[in-house]
Amino acid sequence: MNKMEIHEALMNYKWMINVLVTKRQEMTGASQAMVSKYGIEATLPSDSTPSDPVYSEMLRIERYDKNTKNLQRKVSFIQRHSAGITDIKDQIILDELLNGKTLRRISREHHLSVAAVKRRKDHIIEEMYLNAEGEQYVQT
């Protein structure tokens, strides 16, 4: 992941976790109402996608799996590389970010300037990026 992707993952972590928890809890069901056509409309050819509800549901589930795997990959990256943050202030700010708090709220609660919190966030992103780069270097 590049630095921008790490930044997005940090800022959206709480949302991604909520999506993964919700998706895991919900049972797979039909997502669309299948409306039948009646009369002359039923005999006319359609320009749209196939009207097979099983095929439509299969496509939806594949799309869901792809999106869920992408979110899981990002969450796993953040969890794996957050262990590399050693400075206590950075750890606290990281935990606050992962809890979904804004930079302004973190700065207010910890009596820091917004710029200081932003610098710490950027340092956290840099550390995660370097940790990931080092991990890739070791694997090759």
Side-chain angles (χ1 to χ4, degrees):
M1 289 178 76
N2 63 33
K3 291 179 187 178
M4 184 59 82
E5 291 172 329
I6 295 171
H7 177 266
E8 278 185 33
L10 271 179
M11 301 313 280
N12 294 321
Y13 183 85
K14 178 84 170 172
W15 173 80
M16 292 188 296
I17 287 293
N18 287 339
V19 167
L20 292 174
V21 167
T22 302
K23 292 295 183 185
R24 183 158 293 178
Q25 289 175 348
E26 76 182 18
M27 297 187 60
T28 305
S31 63
Q32 306 172 15
M34 302 297 174
V35 179
S36 299
K37 293 181 181 179
Y38 296 100
I40 191 73
E41 291 178 358
T43 61
L44 297 174
S46 173
D47 292 336
S48 64
T49 59
S51 62
D52 182 11
V54 174
Y55 179 74
S56 297
E57 187 63 12
M58 184 184 73
L59 290 178
R60 185 194 69 83
I61 290 171
E62 286 177 0
R63 191 173 54 249
Y64 155 78
D65 286 342
K66 180 182 172 189
N67 291 336
T68 302
K69 285 179 183 175
N70 192 22
L71 290 179
Q72 286 173 340
R73 181 183 60 81
K74 290 178 181 182
V75 166
S76 175
F77 178 91
I78 296 297
Q79 290 172 343
R80 193 170 58 248
H81 294 290
S82 64
I85 306 301
T86 56
D87 184 45
I88 188 72
K89 287 182 181 178
D90 287 346
Q91 287 176 346
I92 289 171
I93 289 175
L94 175 62
D95 287 337
E96 298 284 15
L97 287 170
L98 297 182
N99 286 334
K101 292 185 180 176
T102 63
L103 297 180
R104 185 177 304 257
R105 184 169 174 195
I106 294 169
S107 71
R108 207 174 29 235
E109 290 177 358
H110 295 284
H111 307 290
L112 298 167
S113 68
V114 175
V117 174
K118 185 179 181 322
R119 278 193 305 273
R120 292 238 175 231
K121 177 198 57 128
D122 292 341
H123 183 257
I124 290 167
I125 291 170
E126 182 70 26
E127 288 293 317
M128 287 184 168
Y129 179 75
L130 293 174
N131 192 354
E133 288 290 312
E135 186 179 270
Q136 286 180 351
Y137 180 74
V138 169
Q139 289 178 356
T140 57

